[in-house]
Amino acid sequence: STWTVTGMTCGHCVKAVTDEVSAIDGVETVVVDLGTGAVVVTAATDPTREQMAAAVDEAGYSLV
């Protein structure tokens, strides 16, 4: 699934979002595009909007 995150400005931001989203149960890979804010998640079962919002919020950013 693909999500959009706002507020990321650097490599640290990408790592923070990647780490938090990776911690969601079932998530296999997370690819973050800093330029567009796209976060592509590969998972056995796609995370819910609530799970993604909580993970992104924990990292300090906002889910669109």
Side-chain angles (χ1 to χ4, degrees):
S1 56
T2 302
W3 306 82
T4 303
V5 174
T6 59
M8 297 184 297
T9 58
C10 64
H12 172 77
C13 302
V14 169
K15 181 173 179 356
V17 170
T18 300
D19 289 349
E20 291 297 335
V21 174
S22 293
I24 298 171
D25 282 347
V27 170
E28 296 162 8
T29 63
V30 178
V31 178
V32 178
D33 183 322
L34 181 60
T36 64
V39 179
V40 180
V41 177
T42 304
T45 303
D46 280 339
T48 65
R49 178 164 182 83
E50 291 75 22
Q51 287 174 307
M52 283 296 295
V56 168
D57 184 65
E58 186 66 30
Y61 309 98
S62 299
L63 189 64
V64 173

